[in-house]
Amino acid sequence: EGEHAINTNRPLSQLNGYYITQQVLETESLETIQERIGALPKGTPVMLDVKSIKGSFFYNSSASSQRNGAIDTEAMEQLISYMDEKGMYLIARLPALRDFYYGLDHVPDGLPTSEGYLWMDDASCYWLNPASEGTRNYLILQIQELRSRGFDEVVLTDFRFPVTDQIVFSGDKAQTLTETAQLLVDTCCNDSFTLSS
């Protein structure tokens, strides 16, 4: 539209999709959500929050024992299976390096301050060190688990270093993120499964 519009002489396609946020999962019944999904055409992209920034999983995950009590994980498993059976393009939205519970239980995998404590953000979340082998293995476990449940794609949020000068990290941050991303792609992706951030 407007002066910057480019005429391609081709009809435009309408992009459709559906995003099920953590807030929706906590406030609406999964039966209501399933009814909405049922009205969508086959192949519609559906993005689903699968874990909170605190580290609570909304489905039955072997990656952690932490669960979000406000979300029925068994009903969530049924919803995921239903969407897979309906032929939706399933996208899991996963907080990557922001995880309170994992940071609390695996202090060496977190980002420390100069005082030796784990750095915590304004939302009271610990951030994980992407150079740590433990962090990398934890991410691989989550991604492979979601792939095995029928997801077509995982979108990693917070796949970055936090913006602060309070953490101690001696390596090259950009290079570390690139190397970790490459490891995740090489280990988890194939022709039918995508990883993005």
Side-chain angles (χ1 to χ4, degrees), residues 120-135:
M120 182 180 278
D121 66 17
D122 293 339
S124 300
C125 283
Y126 296 123
W127 285 67
L128 308 181
N129 181 353
S132 161
E133 183 178 354
T135 295

Side-chain angles (χ1 to χ4, degrees), residues 7 9 30 47 55 68 97 99 103 108 111 115 118 121 126 133 143-144 157 161 169-170:
N7 185 357
N9 294 319
L30 290 176
M47 185 161 67
N68 187 327
L97 298 174
D99 190 313
L111 291 171
E115 290 84 25
L118 284 188
D121 66 17
Y126 296 123
E133 183 178 354
I143 295 164
Q144 289 180 336
T157 63
F161 282 87
F169 185 79
S170 58

Side-chain angles (χ1 to χ4, degrees), residues 157-174:
T157 63
D158 295 319
F159 188 76
R160 60 184 174 86
F161 282 87
V163 180
T164 178
D165 57 1
Q166 297 177 352
I167 62 170
V168 175
F169 185 79
S170 58
D172 182 294
K173 292 179 181 178

Side-chain angles (χ1 to χ4, degrees), residues 59-86:
Y59 64 97
N60 293 322
S61 173
S62 63
S64 174
S65 61
Q66 299 297 331
R67 303 284 188 267
N68 187 327
I71 296 171
D72 180 349
T73 56
E74 291 302 325
M76 181 69 132
E77 292 282 352
Q78 292 172 10
L79 177 63
I80 293 168
S81 294
Y82 175 75
M83 292 189 294
D84 190 33
E85 290 167 11
K86 289 281 290 177

Side-chain angles (χ1 to χ4, degrees), residues 34-157:
Q34 186 167 314
E35 285 176 17
R36 290 185 189 142
I37 297 297
L40 299 173
K42 181 179 178 179
T44 300
V46 178
M47 185 161 67
L48 177 67
D49 282 346
V50 294
K51 184 180 128 187
S52 73
I53 59 173
K54 293 288 187 181
S56 297
F57 288 83
F58 305 150
Y59 64 97
N60 293 322
S61 173
S62 63
S64 174
S65 61
Q66 299 297 331
R67 303 284 188 267
N68 187 327
I71 296 171
D72 180 349
T73 56
E74 291 302 325
M76 181 69 132
E77 292 282 352
Q78 292 172 10
L79 177 63
I80 293 168
S81 294
Y82 175 75
M83 292 189 294
D84 190 33
E85 290 167 11
K86 289 281 290 177
M88 302 300 167
Y89 182 83
L90 293 180
I91 306 168
R93 186 171 180 267
L94 181 71
L97 298 174
R98 197 176 187 197
D99 190 313
F100 173 80
Y101 293 123
Y102 186 84
L104 185 66
D105 294 339
H106 302 86
V107 173
D109 294 331
L111 291 171
T113 65
S114 58
E115 290 84 25
Y117 301 105
L118 284 188
W119 183 80
M120 182 180 278
D121 66 17
D122 293 339
S124 300
C125 283
Y126 296 123
W127 285 67
L128 308 181
N129 181 353
S132 161
E133 183 178 354
T135 295
R136 290 175 173 183
N137 289 337
Y138 180 54
L139 289 172
I140 289 168
L141 174 62
Q142 293 171 78
I143 295 164
Q144 289 180 336
E145 188 172 67
L146 290 164
R147 184 180 67 191
S148 73
R149 279 183 163 70
F151 283 90
D152 301 290
E153 182 175 345
V154 170
V155 174
L156 299 176
T157 63

Side-chain angles (χ1 to χ4, degrees), residues 32 51 127 158 176 186 189:
T32 300
K51 184 180 128 187
W127 285 67
D158 295 319
T176 298
D186 291 346
C189 292

